[in-house]
């Protein structure tokens, strides 16, 4: 079964005349007749009742007409999709983020990229940093957004800082520290801490609090897999959290208090190269221009 057979069948069904159907299709009448015979043979049924004076659809032909129209319409739609390959070319940009919160930072940047690249098709995925960086090395993602991680083995991946964010202490409503202009590490000595899972890679600046963690008993520490989980436990009152300010909730569900003398966290984008990668280059530029919003 092919679309020309179906087109011939539909044309005959609409005018109930083989000669006029052939004229409409700009082919000969024997060609239309041959296509109908071939279709009937394949379907193992008779689609038209023909006499020397009339042509009528059989009940089987009536039942098949809607299917034929649907198949031809799908075929035409598929062909139209690729009629202008250069004007309709999809420009994929695959981006990775360490956590869901980072997706919200991308909104203004993607808006600008869409203006520059009308056929932009972003593919966003959230996954642990090591997995995303491995995908980046393999060429399966174009760029990864996140905090600067401690240096390790040499790779072909590059890091471009686009901004910095202070570390804050996240406190639940009504906590004694709420309302403070800033807090010191000493102020947190008696507090229970809600932290990221220590087995996962941490932002470079978070290493400065290793001693604080080491001095606490397991009962004073709550480990979480995600930013959302940390915020939830803080809101409930299990403890306080030390987080990059960018990750603090924007509502009043928690108080985000700057930590005195704490090293700021570097935020940026990991990529392999901008050579011949106009969208990656534009992404980095847009992130750098928007850094004051972080």
């Amino acid at each position: 079964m092919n679309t020309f057979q179906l087109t011939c069948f539909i044309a005959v069904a609409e005018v109930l005349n083989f000669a006029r159907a052939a004229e409409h299709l700009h082919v000969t009448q024997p060609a239309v007749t041959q296509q109908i015979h071939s279709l009937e043979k394949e379907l193992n049924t008779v689609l038209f009742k023909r006499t020397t004076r009339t042509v009528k659809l059989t009940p089987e032909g009536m039942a098949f007409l809607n299917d034929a129209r649907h198949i031809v319409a799908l075929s035409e739609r598929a062909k139209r999709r690729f009629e202008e390959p250069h004007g309709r070319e999809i420009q994929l940009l695959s981006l990775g983020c360490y956590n869901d919160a980072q997706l919200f930072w991308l909104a203004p940047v993607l808006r600008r990229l869409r203006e520059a690249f009308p056929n932009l098709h972003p593919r966003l995925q959230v996954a642990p940093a090591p997995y995303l960086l491995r995908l980046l090395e393999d060429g399966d993602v174009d760029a990864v957004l996140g905090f600067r991680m401690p240096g390790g083995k040499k790779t072909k991946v590059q890091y471009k800082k686009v901004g910095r964010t202070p570390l804050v202490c996240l406190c639940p409503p009504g906590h004694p520290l709420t309302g403070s202009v800033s807090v010191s590490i000493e102020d947190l000595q008696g507090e229970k801490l809600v932290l990221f899972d220590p087995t996962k890679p941490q932002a470079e600046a978070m290493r400065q609090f290793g001693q604080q963690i080491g001095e606490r008993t397991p009962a004073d520490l709550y480990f979480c897999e995600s930013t959302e989980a940390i915020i939830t436990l803080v809101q409930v009152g299990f403890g306080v959290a030390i987080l990059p300010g960018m990750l603090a909730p924007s509502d009043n569900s928690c108080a985000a208090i700057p930590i005195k003398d704490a090293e700021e966290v570097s935020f940026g984008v990991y990529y392999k190269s901008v050579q011949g990668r106009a969208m990656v280059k534009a992404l980095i530029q847009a992130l750098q221009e928007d850094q004051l919003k972080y």
Side-chain angles (χ1 to χ4, degrees):
M1 185 187 305
N2 58 60
T3 55
F4 184 54
Q5 289 175 321
L6 298 177
T7 301
C8 290
F9 166 69
I10 294 169
V12 175
E14 288 178 346
V15 299
L16 296 177
N17 186 292
F18 277 72
R20 279 188 293 180
E23 183 180 351
H24 175 73
L25 296 173
H26 304 290
V27 297
T28 64
Q29 180 175 336
V32 173
T33 301
Q34 181 183 1
Q35 294 300 319
I36 297 300
H37 281 313
S38 175
L39 182 60
E40 289 178 325
K41 183 177 180 180
E42 185 173 349
L43 294 175
N44 194 29
T45 191
V46 176
L47 299 173
F48 293 103
K49 182 179 180 180
R50 307 188 263 292
T51 68
T52 56
R53 297 195 311 172
T54 62
V55 175
K56 294 182 180 180
L57 279 167
T58 64
E60 292 79 9
M62 291 181 182
F64 182 65
L65 181 57
N66 188 57
D67 290 337
R69 284 172 171 160
H70 182 62
I71 294 170
V72 171
L74 284 176
S75 175
E76 291 298 321
R77 186 173 69 186
K79 287 190 289 185
R80 284 196 301 270
R81 187 172 308 186
F82 302 102
E83 281 177 353
E84 301 174 25
H86 298 295
R88 299 174 181 270
E89 182 181 358
I90 293 175
Q91 295 177 288
L92 292 176
L93 181 64
S94 181
L95 302 176
C97 297
Y98 298 169
N99 57 57
D100 293 320
Q102 292 170 347
L103 294 176
F104 296 104
W105 311 335
L106 276 174
V109 172
L110 289 177
R111 190 176 296 114
R112 294 172 59 180
L113 288 180
R114 188 178 64 175
E115 294 173 359
F117 303 93
N119 296 325
L120 173 67
H121 278 241
R123 288 186 178 174
L124 311 177
Q125 61 176 308
V126 178
Y131 174 72
L132 289 174
L133 294 177
R134 189 163 58 250
L135 290 181
L136 181 60
E137 287 187 28
D138 294 340
D140 294 323
V141 297
D142 297 305
V144 174
L145 279 72
F147 299 112
R148 179 67 180 262
M149 295 295 171
K153 64 178 182 178
K154 289 187 177 180
T155 68
K156 296 180 180 179
V157 171
Q158 303 181 61
Y159 174 81
K160 173 71 75 173
K161 183 186 76 173
V162 298
R164 301 185 73 86
T165 182
L167 283 171
V168 300
C169 173
L170 210 61
C171 299
H175 190 278
L177 293 176
T178 301
S180 303
V181 176
S182 63
V183 296
S184 65
I185 296 299
E186 290 72 25
D187 294 331
L188 305 180
Q189 286 183 355
E191 301 290 339
K192 294 185 177 182
L193 296 180
V194 184
L195 306 164
F196 282 113
D197 186 335
T199 64
K200 304 294 189 295
Q202 305 290 317
E204 259 185 346
M206 298 298 289
R207 292 182 298 177
Q208 60 193 295
F209 300 102
Q211 185 177 354
Q212 280 285 316
I213 298 173
E215 293 174 352
R216 285 172 168 77
T217 65
D220 294 328
L221 301 173
Y222 298 89
F223 296 112
C224 299
E225 294 285 335
S226 67
T227 302
E228 293 75 15
I230 288 178
I231 293 172
T232 298
L233 292 190
V234 170
Q235 289 173 338
V236 175
F238 281 94
V240 301
I242 300 172
L243 286 177
M246 294 170 68
L247 299 179
S250 56
D251 55 21
N252 295 323
S253 59
C254 295
I257 309 166
I259 299 177
K260 293 178 184 177
D261 303 321
E263 177 187 347
E264 288 188 322
V265 179
S266 172
F267 171 79
V269 55
Y270 287 93
Y271 63 100
K272 289 184 72 172
S273 173
V274 295
Q275 190 71 31
R277 310 292 297 278
M279 285 192 294
V280 174
K281 187 175 182 179
L283 169 71
I284 296 172
Q285 182 178 348
L287 287 166
Q288 289 177 315
E289 291 175 356
D290 281 2
Q291 64 176 301
L292 294 178
K293 301 176 184 178
Y294 301 137

